[in-house]
């Protein structure tokens, strides 16, 4: 498979602007894709934000089973991290996030008072990879649509401050992604989940990788029951070939997009592509 690399000009510019704005920010919401929380974490974020409070948000909680959610809660807790599950599309998990941001604001304003400064509202930034649900989350926090939101990477292209209330102001930032994706297994997962621009990859190669990964994670029964093609003992590429021949008159691309969209929209069911490391 060719290397997956994607770093369009608007992301490079947004990253520079984001670093300039971070000194104005009190708390950071880092939004991760609950299906791939490790692959969708930007490795430079801890270094950028220093000791600012960070709230880890695992969005698309509805797309992974409850047992896996609990596993990630325990895994992150063992590393001293609290995570917040959300389904920004449906507005689930928003209130605990608001409370956590307000809690960070109480501490920030106490420090301001100690220095003889007047209290003010919390300034937060929402950061994460493209298409993980940042804009949908902002719209839910605000209670109305102010941030453009769509199921594709690269919709938000400029930084924008949005006043949520007198107590909270949010900086909406475009999706950020490392300039170089060193871990290509993670890059493939990002492509499967549509958390990277489609110009970065070939659909059929990513569709084949999805089949191989589902078999590796013991989800092969889902493929068999849904498409009546057994993925055992064949490659993902061979699977797509058979699926195209049996369902789409030999159209392998159409078979691929059916498979990818069924996964991406949750039609296949609750399927995590990463499990908490043992």
């Amino acid at each position: 498979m060719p290397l997956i690399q994607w770093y369009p000009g608007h992301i490079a510019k947004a990253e520079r602007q984001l670093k300039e704005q971070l000194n104005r920010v009190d708390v950071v919401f880092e939004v991760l894709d609950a299906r791939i929380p490790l692959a969708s974490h930007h490795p430079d974020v801890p270094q950028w934000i220093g000791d600012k409070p960070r709230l880890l948000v695992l969005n698309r909680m509805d797309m992974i089973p409850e047992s896996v959610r609990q596993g990630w809660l325990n895994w992150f807790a063992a590393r001293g991290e609290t995570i917040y599950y959300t389904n920004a599309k449906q507005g689930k998990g928003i209130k605990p996030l608001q409370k956590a941001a307000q809690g960070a604001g109480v501490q920030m304003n106490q420090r301001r008072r100690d220095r003889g400064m007047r209290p003010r509202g919390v300034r937060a930034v929402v950061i994460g990879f493209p298409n993980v649900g940042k804009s949908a989350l902002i719209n839910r926090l605000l209670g109305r649509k102010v941030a453009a939101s769509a199921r594709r990477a690269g919709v938000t292209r400029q930084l924008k401050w949005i006043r949520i209330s007198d107590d909270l102001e949010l900086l909406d930032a475009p999706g950020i992604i490392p300039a170089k994706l060193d871990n290509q297994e993670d890059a493939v997962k990002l492509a499967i989940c549509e958390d990277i621009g489609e110009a970065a990859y070939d659909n059929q190669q990513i569709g084949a990788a999805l089949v191989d990964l589902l078999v590796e994670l013991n989800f092969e029964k889902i493929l068999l029951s849904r498409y009546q093609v057994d993925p055992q003992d064949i490659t993902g590429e061979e699977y797509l070939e058979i699926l195209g021949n049996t369902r789409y008159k030999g159209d392998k691309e159409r078979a691929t997009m059916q498979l990818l969209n069924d996964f991406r929209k949750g039609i296949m069911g609750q399927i995590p592509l990463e499990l908490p490391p043992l």
Side-chain angles (χ1 to χ4, degrees):
M1 187 185 294
L3 281 179
I4 296 173
Q5 296 295 348
W6 189 69
Y7 196 64
H10 78 271
I11 285 186
K13 182 182 174 187
E15 189 180 300
R16 285 195 305 272
Q17 292 175 336
L18 177 62
K19 288 176 187 173
E20 289 165 9
Q21 291 286 340
L22 277 173
N23 61 347
R24 296 182 59 200
V25 166
D26 307 308
V27 60
V28 175
F29 293 90
E30 186 185 359
V31 186
L32 308 173
D33 189 323
R35 297 168 295 182
I36 49 167
L38 301 181
S40 59
H41 163 66
H42 195 305
D44 295 337
V45 166
Q47 177 197 327
W48 291 346
I49 67 175
D51 57 1
K52 292 180 190 293
R54 177 177 61 148
L55 305 180
L56 279 180
V57 182
L58 269 65
N59 192 38
R60 301 195 178 113
M61 61 183 279
D62 54 309
M63 300 187 89
I64 62 171
E66 175 62 41
S67 58
V68 176
R69 276 183 238 161
Q70 191 58 52
W72 281 119
L73 276 171
N74 297 341
W75 189 84
F76 279 103
R79 280 146 191 80
E81 299 264 22
T82 302
I83 60 173
Y84 297 83
Y85 277 114
T86 60
N87 175 353
K89 217 174 186 180
Q90 295 182 357
K92 290 182 182 171
I94 302 301
K95 282 184 181 172
L97 262 188
Q98 288 172 321
K99 280 185 182 173
Q102 286 161 359
V106 168
Q107 294 169 11
M108 176 268 296
N109 276 320
Q110 187 56 55
R111 289 194 297 272
R112 286 177 69 84
R113 285 190 196 93
D114 293 345
R115 295 180 198 144
M117 300 162 78
R118 290 170 62 184
R120 61 160 172 79
V122 182
R123 293 178 189 145
V125 64
V126 180
I127 59 177
F129 273 62
N131 197 37
V132 292
K134 301 180 301 297
S135 295
L137 182 70
I138 287 172
N139 291 334
R140 285 293 178 181
L141 286 164
L142 187 59
R144 59 190 168 89
K145 188 168 182 178
V146 291
S149 174
R151 214 200 83 204
R152 68 179 192 277
V155 175
T156 304
R157 289 187 167 243
Q158 293 178 328
L159 274 78
K160 181 169 67 171
W161 281 100
I162 300 164
R163 184 171 288 281
I164 302 286
S165 67
D166 290 341
D167 299 324
L168 183 61
E169 199 175 358
L170 272 182
L171 179 62
D172 182 17
I176 50 167
I177 200 162
K180 189 165 179 282
L181 293 167
D182 293 320
N183 187 325
Q184 284 293 298
E185 283 183 21
D186 285 354
V188 167
K189 290 174 190 171
L190 291 167
I192 291 170
C193 293
E194 233 176 354
D195 296 338
I196 190 172
E198 60 186 358
Y201 56 86
D202 176 87
N203 288 326
Q204 291 182 25
Q205 288 173 335
I206 293 304
L210 171 59
V211 173
D212 292 335
L213 190 53
L214 291 177
V215 172
E216 187 186 319
L217 294 168
N218 299 316
F219 289 115
E220 63 279 349
K221 286 179 184 170
I222 289 173
L223 291 171
L224 176 58
S225 66
R226 181 155 187 84
Y227 307 108
Q228 287 76 56
V229 179
D230 190 346
Q232 297 276 40
D233 304 321
I234 58 173
T235 66
E237 201 172 327
E238 290 167 334
Y239 189 90
L240 291 178
E241 192 83 45
I242 296 167
L243 191 61
N245 288 334
T246 54
R247 287 203 169 199
Y248 300 106
K249 299 178 182 175
D251 191 337
K252 192 174 170 185
E253 181 70 13
R254 203 171 150 208
T256 299
M257 292 316 298
Q258 180 74 58
L259 183 88
L260 284 172
N261 284 324
D262 284 355
F263 172 78
R264 289 165 173 173
K265 293 177 181 177
I267 295 168
M268 273 190 200
Q270 295 179 314
I271 302 176
L273 295 187
E274 285 179 344
L275 298 172
L278 295 172

